[in-house]
Amino acid sequence: SNLFMSKVVRKPVINVSIPILQDGRLRYVMSLGLLPEDLQALLSARTPGPEWVTTIWDAHGVIVARSQDSARFVGMPLPQRMREHAQPTIVRTANLDGTDVLHATARSQLSGWGVGVNVPYSVITGPLRDSLLLWGTAAVLTLSISLLLGLWFAGQITTSLSVASEAAAAFGEGASFPVTASRLKEANAFLASLARAQQDLSEARARQKLLVGELRHRTKNLFSVVHGLALRSLRGDQTLDDARETFIGRLHALARADRRLTESDWQGTWLQEIVRSELEPFAGQFEMRGEDVELSPYA
């Protein structure tokens, strides 16, 4: 995303949001939230020297982080003269502090963000005025370093996000993906979370497969039991009404036993509970003796 004001933390933030598709439909959105301070710390740790200033801006040209005085400039639009061009470019211009600088810029094709690195012009030219050849050699070398540094910063960010994007796409397709460490700790945390989510999803699918198999087995057994009840109820010389009453009574008994099993999560039940349930209409007219027996679901 571009820089925006979060209603949760009430600070400027950025989001990396990746849609997870399954069968062509949006199922999840994996989102990683970052504060400008996260990027500012990354820039400050990798700036070549105190005279160098690195700036990152979003696709709208709004400053996201700066290696110096970041809090003062975050959220401000970057002047057009300092923004990236169609190709990585080095220009001589005035920076945000009004200092005459050499400014190298590059643009991320993935996010549309830009990164710029500048150094005061006097730092380059001051010590080298006595020798034109030495000045020319040092200037070319410094400009090259500035350009490479700008491209390196953009590459570090885009490579980490590309790895995270490919992993998210693999997750959406149910495929495995490598958890590759990068220099961006937030991307590493995102990949680790994605790996845990994939493991949880695999375990859930395995449990679902087990439950479907168990349901199929129980349904088959239930049909066999009902078939046996029908044969026992319809044999002999009973009238149709008597056979129907017998069959319905046995179905009710089967339903009560099945309810007992459901309440015990199909772990079995005790014989006394079944007998007491069946003889509820005759309360006070019977008594039970003997050791209780736990019956398995199959029994």
Side-chain angles (χ1 to χ4, degrees), residues 11 88 96 163 178 180 235 272:
K11 293 182 179 180
L96 298 176
V163 171
T180 305
R235 69 182 181 180
Q272 284 190 5

Side-chain angles (χ1 to χ4, degrees), residues 229-230 232-235 238-253:
L229 292 182
R232 288 179 60 87
S233 301
L234 298 177
R235 69 182 181 180
Q238 299 182 86
T239 65
L240 183 59
D241 290 340
D242 292 340
R244 180 172 59 246
E245 183 177 353
T246 300
F247 181 62
I248 292 176
R250 286 172 172 164
L251 279 181
H252 287 168

Side-chain angles (χ1 to χ4, degrees), residues 98-170:
T99 305
D100 185 19
V101 296
L102 287 177
H103 186 60
T105 61
R107 183 183 182 88
S108 167
Q109 298 299 320
L110 178 65
S111 65
W113 284 19
V115 59
V117 182
N118 63 66
V119 63
Y121 191 76
S122 59
V123 174
I124 306 299
T125 59
L128 307 177
R129 291 174 182 173
D130 295 336
S131 172
L132 180 61
L133 178 61
L134 183 60
W135 178 90
T137 303
V140 171
L141 179 60
T142 303
L143 295 178
S144 300
I145 292 175
S146 301
L147 176 60
L148 291 175
L149 184 61
L151 295 176
W152 182 82
F153 273 118
Q156 290 295 303
I157 296 175
T158 56
T159 299
S160 300
L161 296 182
S162 295
V163 171
S165 177
E166 292 173 1

